[in-house]
Amino acid sequence: MKLSLVQVVLFYASTSAAVLHTSDWARLNRTVHGRLFTGIPFARPCFRDANDTSGSFQASDCAIVEENYINRTFRLEMFGSYMNTEWETCQSTSGQCLLDSSAPNNTLAFNPPQMCSQGSIPSYYIDVLDTDDVIAGLEFATSTGVTLVVKNTGHDYKGRSSAPNSLALFTHNLKSLSYNEQFKPVGSTDNESLPAVTMGAGVATLALYEFADALNLTVPGGADPTVGVAGGYLMGGGHSILTNVFGLFVDRLLEIEVVTPIGQVLTANKFQNTDLFFALRGGGGGTFGVVTKVTTLALPKMQLPAFLVTAENLKTNIDLQRKWLGFMAANAVEFSNAGWGGFIFPNSGFIFTNPLLNETAAVAAMQGVQELVTKEFNGTFTHTVEPSYFSFFLKYLVTSEVPVGLPFAAASRLIPVANFATNESRAELVDAHLVASNSQTLPIFFQTTPLLLDDKGETSVTPAWRNSMWHVTTSSFWNFNTTFDERVQIYSSLTNNMDVVRNITRGSGAYQNEADVYEPNFQESFWGSNYDRLLAIKKKYDPHHVMDCWQCVGWKGEVDPRFQCYIPKELV
């Protein structure tokens, strides 16, 4: 779905973005060697009628879209596709180009009078292949004032990689991968070298894990196979099922190549450009520069004892959910101290593993869980020993994927260890979570905080990560025909329900990558005491706010036209 420059020019002249002359776009296209394209909504071929968008109705292409509408691997390759499809739309006006996520061939979604609109999909994008392409995009945005966003794989719960009438830098095709057994950061002043993997910004988790496994290495990362590791995942912190022992992804980061908003290509590490290195290790994506390449510590290949609990009775029985969560809360500190990490599903079970224990010790440690699940929940308790992280990922994590191809919003909170201290505090915590999650679609409690890692204050994520036991999330889905008022209510419920948890965890925070779109006091929640330092770094490297995004460092508020497609906060 790419258009020639002639089509780009014709399309642009017919839209509200036509404040720029066609010669400006032609110049940019020449600079990036013909890799400037229009952003076409993923479902455009299914619509006979369209409003201010390019592309056309094509029955054969529509059949392909219908077949792959909720296929994350297919969506990964399409610029006009976002994993959570509300960010393809203009939520404030209900302008959209969506299919029915439950039945993509449902003609009620796309036959007249339904109309395809551009929504929040950027009007243009540069297919980035090197840093020169990034520089060209930044210079163009600076000189013309056009809104700039950075899109990688389309995983984004807060809409930071899309904006109406914008130019996008599509970094998805930066897919280099290499291994250096004796990596030394640029500017290193000592003789220390470390085994490290260097990857381009577009490398997805599945490709990284395959690469590492083939070399008998482990590089822990996200649970979804299509997340861009070196994109927003990394810059937001990046938790994994092994975070408790090996830290967040930013804790293992050794070096970053980044293009700053003024067009400088810099290498940031602990020896040079240290302020930028600090900011990019948790300060958030789309803010301080465009990351094109990163280098991370490579761990040895390791066996992982894996445990899976499934209990159908938990789905509808709130008393059993209370008992399940109460048990996990009562044992959370002991589990964490022993090296356990995992995903707890209040209404179905858990996935747990421990890189520090052998099979015998791990089975013994899980004995209490097994007895509870099999005897009181009539559930199933299974375990295996996986030969590698990659094997564990394929068998356990891929099957727990969050659905894509539909609108999806979340809210989250980091739960301090102090909330697990007494019977009373644990009971209060469980009751609050039942209120926050019971009316939501997919609650998950992640025991993925870096408690066992010695923190040296070198990252910019909220310090709340370092003294929290759980990262808890709630979420809601909707569909193409959900009304505006219903969507407002969904966002409002997510915020209000999570307030119950916020009220008993005062002083804590939230993981910005999986947070409420309308997170209260977001500066404190996402970065805590690091915010003032981050703001100073933002002013240094992006004094003209070429790179801005919703609730990011230096955000000036929703009055900026780039945020016109968000539902106004006053309505939520």
Side-chain angles (χ1 to χ4, degrees):
M1 295 184 184
K2 294 181 178 180
L3 300 185
S4 68
L5 176 60
V6 172
Q7 291 171 302
V8 168
V9 169
L10 290 175
F11 167 62
Y12 193 79
S14 65
T15 69
S16 61
V19 292
L20 297 184
H21 195 275
T22 54
S23 61
D24 294 321
W25 294 105
R27 172 175 52 82
L28 175 60
N29 191 53
R30 288 193 300 271
T31 303
V32 297
H33 309 290
R35 281 180 280 102
L36 176 69
F37 302 101
T38 55
I40 302 174
F42 181 51
R44 176 64 184 92
C46 297
F47 287 76
R48 295 181 182 275
D49 295 337
N51 177 36
D52 290 335
T53 187
S54 191
S56 62
F57 170 74
Q58 295 289 340
S60 58
D61 289 345
C62 178
I64 296 172
V65 171
E66 290 174 348
E67 182 180 357
N68 294 283
Y69 195 69
I70 58 173
N71 182 329
R72 68 190 63 236
T73 304
F74 190 86
R75 279 184 166 270
L76 179 69
E77 303 298 329
M78 310 302 295
F79 174 79
S81 162
Y82 287 76
M83 298 297 178
N84 306 126
T85 57
E86 71 270 29
W87 305 117
E88 297 176 14
T89 76
C90 188
Q91 296 184 76
S92 61
T93 65
S94 298
Q96 63 182 36
C97 194
L98 302 181
L99 302 188
D100 181 348
S101 58
S102 63
N105 62 351
N106 179 5
T107 58
L108 293 176
F110 54 83
N111 274 356
Q114 299 290 350
M115 183 172 292
C116 176
S117 296
Q118 187 75 10
S120 290
I121 297 170
S123 302
Y124 301 93
Y125 70 96
I126 297 171
D127 183 9
V128 173
L129 297 185
D130 54 34
T131 56
D132 287 343
D133 293 337
V134 176
I135 293 170
L138 289 165
E139 289 180 347
F140 187 81
T142 301
S143 63
T144 64
V146 68
T147 296
L148 184 78
V149 297
V150 182
K151 181 178 187 282
N152 189 354
T153 61
H155 285 274
D156 188 350
Y157 289 154
K158 291 178 71 71
R160 297 164 295 185
S161 57
S162 65
N165 305 313
S166 63
L167 169 67
L169 298 175
F170 189 36
T171 60
H172 169 61
N173 289 315
L174 296 174
K175 295 183 177 180
S176 61
L177 266 169
S178 62
Y179 171 59
N180 186 340
E181 190 175 4
Q182 296 181 318
F183 176 80
K184 294 181 66 174
V186 175
S188 173
T189 56
D190 55 43
N191 293 321
E192 181 185 22
S193 64
L194 295 167
V197 171
T198 300
M199 72 196 83
V203 172
T205 48
L206 180 62
L208 173 62
Y209 300 159
E210 287 176 330
F211 177 83
D213 195 67
L215 294 169
N216 294 317
L217 303 172
T218 302
V219 182
D224 189 297
T226 57
V227 166
V229 182
Y233 167 79
L234 175 153
M235 286 177 276
H239 69 91
S240 77
I241 205 163
L242 300 184
T243 295
N244 182 31
V245 175
F246 300 116
L248 299 166
F249 203 95
V250 290
D251 291 318
R252 291 173 275 113
L253 198 61
L254 302 176
E255 190 166 273
I256 303 175
E257 179 184 85
V258 57
V259 184
T260 68
I262 62 171
Q264 290 181 300
V265 181
L266 299 179
T267 298
N269 54 43
K270 69 177 183 179
F271 301 102
Q272 61 181 41
N273 301 308
T274 54
D275 55 351
L276 196 54
F277 192 50
F278 168 80
L280 292 170
R281 297 172 75 187
T287 305
F288 301 97
V290 181
V291 170
T292 52
K293 185 168 59 178
V294 305
T295 300
T296 185
L297 179 68
L299 304 170
K301 192 172 185 176
M302 61 189 71
Q303 287 189 340
L304 291 173
F307 295 81
L308 175 67
V309 164
T310 55
E312 291 293 321
N313 290 341
L314 289 173
K315 283 187 176 179
T316 56
N317 191 321
I318 196 162
D319 290 331
L320 291 184
Q321 289 179 19
R322 180 176 282 107
K323 177 172 282 191
W324 173 233
L325 292 179
F327 176 86
M328 293 305 296
N331 288 277
V333 174
E334 180 181 349
F335 286 158
S336 180
N337 287 339
W340 290 96
F343 306 162
I344 304 165
F345 306 98
N347 53 14
S348 63
F350 81 10
I351 302 167
F352 257 45
T353 189
N354 191 324
L356 302 182
L357 299 182
N358 61 29
E359 181 181 15
T360 301
V363 169
M366 288 286 107
Q367 188 65 38
V369 177
Q370 182 176 7
E371 291 180 2
L372 175 71
V373 169
T374 56
K375 293 180 180 179
E376 298 195 39
F377 299 163
N378 194 30
T380 61
F381 176 91
T382 58
H383 88 274
T384 61
V385 176
E386 297 305 312
S388 69
Y389 181 75
F390 183 48
S391 174
F392 175 84
F393 169 80
L394 292 177
K395 188 167 185 176
Y396 292 97
L397 298 188
V398 169
T399 58
S400 66
E401 295 169 339
V402 173
V404 302
L406 72 174
F408 177 102
S412 68
R413 191 67 173 172
L414 292 165
I415 311 301
V417 174
N419 289 85
F420 297 81
T422 67
N423 291 336
E424 292 75 19
S425 65
R426 291 192 296 269
E428 179 185 50
L429 177 63
V430 170
D431 287 342
H433 281 311
L434 289 174
V435 171
S437 64
N438 196 46
S439 62
Q440 306 302 329
T441 311
L442 186 62
I444 306 176
F445 298 179
F446 295 92
Q447 187 146 336
T448 57
T449 58
L451 279 177
L452 293 188
L453 190 77
D454 181 26
D455 173 43
K456 299 179 176 62
E458 296 174 346
T459 67
S460 51
V461 296
T462 171
W465 269 112
R466 310 296 176 181
N467 59 18
S468 291
M469 180 65 65
W470 286 350
H471 155 54
V472 302
T473 66
T474 62
S475 57
S476 285
F477 312 146
W478 60 98
N479 208 342
F480 78 100
N481 55 354
T482 303
T483 67
F484 178 84
D485 289 342
E486 289 169 338
R487 284 182 274 122
V488 169
Q489 183 57 46
I490 288 170
Y491 280 115
S492 178
S493 294
L494 282 167
T495 299
N496 293 337
N497 288 350
M498 191 54 70
D499 277 344
V500 178
V501 180
R502 293 183 182 111
N503 288 338
I504 65 167
T505 57
R506 295 188 183 277
S508 188
Y511 177 39
Q512 59 182 297
N513 283 350
E514 296 168 2
D516 191 340
V517 172
Y518 302 95
E519 180 72 23
N521 191 18
F522 74 94
Q523 300 95 330
E524 176 66 24
S525 182
F526 298 159
W527 299 288
S529 58
N530 290 322
Y531 186 76
D532 288 344
R533 182 180 175 189
L534 285 169
L535 184 60
I537 297 169
K538 171 70 174 177
K539 291 177 179 178
K540 173 182 176 181
Y541 287 98
D542 189 16
H544 305 296
H545 283 261
V546 176
M547 301 184 69
D548 272 347
C549 49
W550 182 271
Q551 289 196 341
C552 295
V553 172
W555 188 51
K556 296 181 177 180
E558 57 188 283
V559 294
D560 189 317
R562 74 177 66 205
F563 306 123
Q564 63 186 270
C565 282
Y566 285 81
I567 295 174
K569 175 65 173 71
E570 63 188 28
L571 300 180
V572 176

